[in-house]
Every structure is written in structure tokens, then in C-alpha cells.
Amino acid sequence: MKPKLRKSWLLLHVISSVGWLGVTIGMLVLALAAFDAPQLYQAMSLLGDLVVLPLALTALVTGVVLSLGTKWGLVKHRWVLVKFVLTVIAVIATTFSLRSGLHEAAGGVVAAGSDVLVACCVSLTLYTFNTVLSVFKPWGRTRWG
């Protein structure tokens, strides 16, 4: 991949990943506040559908493009492979679990509020761990590297 193209993909990847992390922090704050103001779940539901999912998919796609188009490869280094697997898990969980929990909470299902809070905490931990992997690049090469 040529340097300008790589930097463009990298920029899009960083923006979408940081955006995903930032919206998750905002969702965590809203999930805490929603225990006293349940109408906030409606805003969280909109964020989940219109912001979180597109950011998650963009981060996944740009990450795959970068891994395949650079020296890191998708399966050459353990940190890239782990980050990819965790991102796929996060996208699936966001699509099928977090969003449905947000819709239930927005619809007035009281028990869904604690599930949403837990999902936000797990998501934040996962995205933070992925960020650490991107910075420190631990563990060396895989057997395919």
C-alpha cells in the first residue's frame, strides 16, 4: 500500500476507533444517569443505531484493510490477530446484544437498564484493551508470520 493511501486508511481507522471509544464513554455516562432519568435510554438507542454501529463497522473494515495492506498482516502478529478477534466479537455484541438491550430499555423494560450498564462497561474495557494492543504491539509473531 502506498504511503498516502495507508495514511488515509489509518486516519479513518483511528477516527472511527476513537469515535467508538468516545461514544462508549458517553453511553456509560448516560447508562448511569438513566437510572434516575429512564428517558435517556431513547437517546442511547438512537446513538446505538446511528452512531455506534456505523463506527464499529468502519473500525472493523479499516482495520482489516490496514492489516492486509501493511507489513503487520492479519495473522502475522499476535496483537493484530487478537485485536481483530476482539473487534469482531465487539461488532457482533454491539449488533445483537447492546442494541437490543437499548431498545428494550427505551421501551420501558426496567431490567434492561442494568444489562445496558454492564454492556457499556465491557465494551469500554474491550476498546481500551484494543488501544493498548495498538500502542504496545505485544507478543511477537504467530506461526503464520
Side-chain angles (χ1 to χ4, degrees), residues 94-138:
T94 296
T95 304
F96 298 108
S97 182
L98 176 63
R99 288 178 55 239
S100 64
L102 289 171
H103 289 244
E104 287 177 8
V109 178
V110 178
S114 59
D115 292 343
V116 169
L117 179 63
V118 169
C120 289
C121 290
V122 170
S123 296
L124 182 58
T125 302
L126 187 83
Y127 309 151
T128 302
F129 184 70
N130 273 356
T131 303
V132 170
L133 290 178
S134 295
V135 172
F136 289 100
K137 300 171 180 48

Side-chain angles (χ1 to χ4, degrees), residues 46-125:
L46 283 172
L47 284 172
D49 291 341
L50 302 176
V51 180
V52 174
L53 189 56
L55 285 172
L57 292 171
T58 303
L60 177 62
V61 169
T62 57
V64 169
V65 168
L66 281 167
S67 69
L68 296 175
T70 63
K71 67 177 181 176
W72 297 108
L74 188 57
V75 296
K76 290 181 182 178
H77 294 83
R78 285 186 179 90
W79 73 272
V80 177
L81 187 56
V82 169
K83 189 176 172 188
F84 171 70
V85 169
L86 292 177
T87 302
V88 168
I89 290 168
V91 169
I92 291 169
T94 296
T95 304
F96 298 108
S97 182
L98 176 63
R99 288 178 55 239
S100 64
L102 289 171
H103 289 244
E104 287 177 8
V109 178
V110 178
S114 59
D115 292 343
V116 169
L117 179 63
V118 169
C120 289
C121 290
V122 170
S123 296
L124 182 58
T125 302

Side-chain angles (χ1 to χ4, degrees), residues 18-68:
V18 169
W20 194 10
L21 180 62
V23 171
T24 301
I25 293 168
M27 297 275 275
L28 177 59
V29 171
L30 289 173
L32 290 169
F35 285 112
D36 293 328
Q39 67 274 17
L40 290 175
Y41 289 120
Q42 292 174 347
M44 292 176 69
S45 182
L46 283 172
L47 284 172
D49 291 341
L50 302 176
V51 180
V52 174
L53 189 56
L55 285 172
L57 292 171
T58 303
L60 177 62
V61 169
T62 57
V64 169
V65 168
L66 281 167
S67 69
L68 296 175

